[in-house]
Amino acid sequence: MLNVLLALSCLAVTFASAPFVVTVTNGTLANGVHVGTLTSQLQRNVIDKLFPPVTRTDWASVSLVDSKLLRYLVLEGDYTADTPLTLPSLFVLKLKGSLHDDASFSKCSANGAHFAGMVMLNGSVFSAVVGGKFNATVHSATQAMAISVVNGQRNSIRDVRAVGGQGWTGGGGTGGGVKDVFSAIGITGGTHNEVKGCDVGGTPGR
């Protein structure tokens, strides 16, 4: 079995040396094509379109996961979440800026769902979120974590500032019960996932 420290050592690799890097600056690719600043646009126009799909066979026989296998998305500037941004396996999201909830996030199907997040690693393996500010509290109707890991393996959340959104507990769910605050970063299920060097929680909206 791979040691988790070996698996996560890939995060120390310089991004410039990575074989597959896509950089988006204020919603625009390096070639001048505008891909958008909403998470639904980034999912459709960047992650799903520009990054080849992977399966477990891509790392099954590998003893060390490094930059030769990882794919990198660098987001520079400020972005808004109207739907969860779902990260695949062997994927590193590096945020040089901020991501906060859009007013329309409360209308998406994920809002209020179990371990919903503006950024989600759902079943992902060997993926990471590095840097940036993630604020899921700009709009009071948002019911989501800033970042969530669900049934993932060997994922890492590092050096981020994260604030969780509002939610409801008890008394029949949304529209009743006791108002609560979602975790800023949540992990459920899976194995060998880590949160390191992060500044989380605090007053909603900050």
Side-chain angles (χ1 to χ4, degrees):
M1 179 179 292
L2 294 179
N3 185 284
V4 65
L5 295 178
L6 288 176
L8 293 168
S9 65
C10 58
L11 298 179
V13 176
T14 302
F15 278 79
S17 66
F20 197 97
V21 182
V22 174
T23 300
V24 179
T25 303
N26 298 321
T28 303
L29 296 171
N31 62 5
V33 174
H34 186 72
V35 292
T37 58
L38 292 171
T39 49
S40 61
Q41 296 172 323
L42 294 172
Q43 190 78 52
R44 180 178 64 252
N45 299 328
V46 181
I47 295 178
D48 295 345
K49 184 176 181 179
L50 302 182
F51 290 87
V54 297
T55 65
R56 290 184 177 273
T57 58
D58 291 294
W59 65 83
S61 60
V62 176
S63 59
L64 174 64
V65 175
D66 58 16
S67 62
K68 295 178 182 178
L69 284 178
L70 292 171
R71 295 88 51 72
Y72 299 79
L73 172 59
V74 181
L75 295 180
E76 300 176 339
D78 300 320
Y79 298 83
T80 51
D82 58 338
T83 60
L85 186 68
T86 304
L87 307 187
S89 296
L90 297 177
F91 192 94
V92 178
L93 170 64
K94 185 174 179 66
L95 179 60
K96 297 181 178 181
S98 68
L99 174 68
H100 68 78
D101 54 312
D102 187 73
S104 62
F105 191 95
S106 63
K107 297 179 175 62
C108 78
S109 60
N111 193 59
H114 182 62
F115 272 83
M118 293 194 305
V119 175
M120 295 192 67
L121 291 77
N122 192 351
S124 303
V125 183
F126 294 124
S127 291
V129 179
V130 181
K133 179 180 179 180
F134 298 81
N135 185 354
T137 70
V138 171
H139 299 281
S140 60
T142 299
Q143 299 178 37
M145 300 177 186
I147 304 169
S148 70
V149 181
V150 179
N151 297 324
Q153 297 181 43
R154 296 178 171 85
N155 298 294
S156 182
I157 313 299
R158 291 191 175 190
D159 303 322
V160 308
R161 166 68 177 138
V163 185
Q166 302 291 318
W168 296 85
T169 58
T174 302
V178 179
K179 198 169 187 179
D180 198 0
V181 178
F182 277 27
S183 298
I185 300 174
I187 299 177
T188 182
T191 59
H192 298 106
N193 298 296
E194 73 159 12
V195 177
K196 183 176 181 181
C198 298
D199 178 15
V200 300
T203 304
R206 297 180 58 188

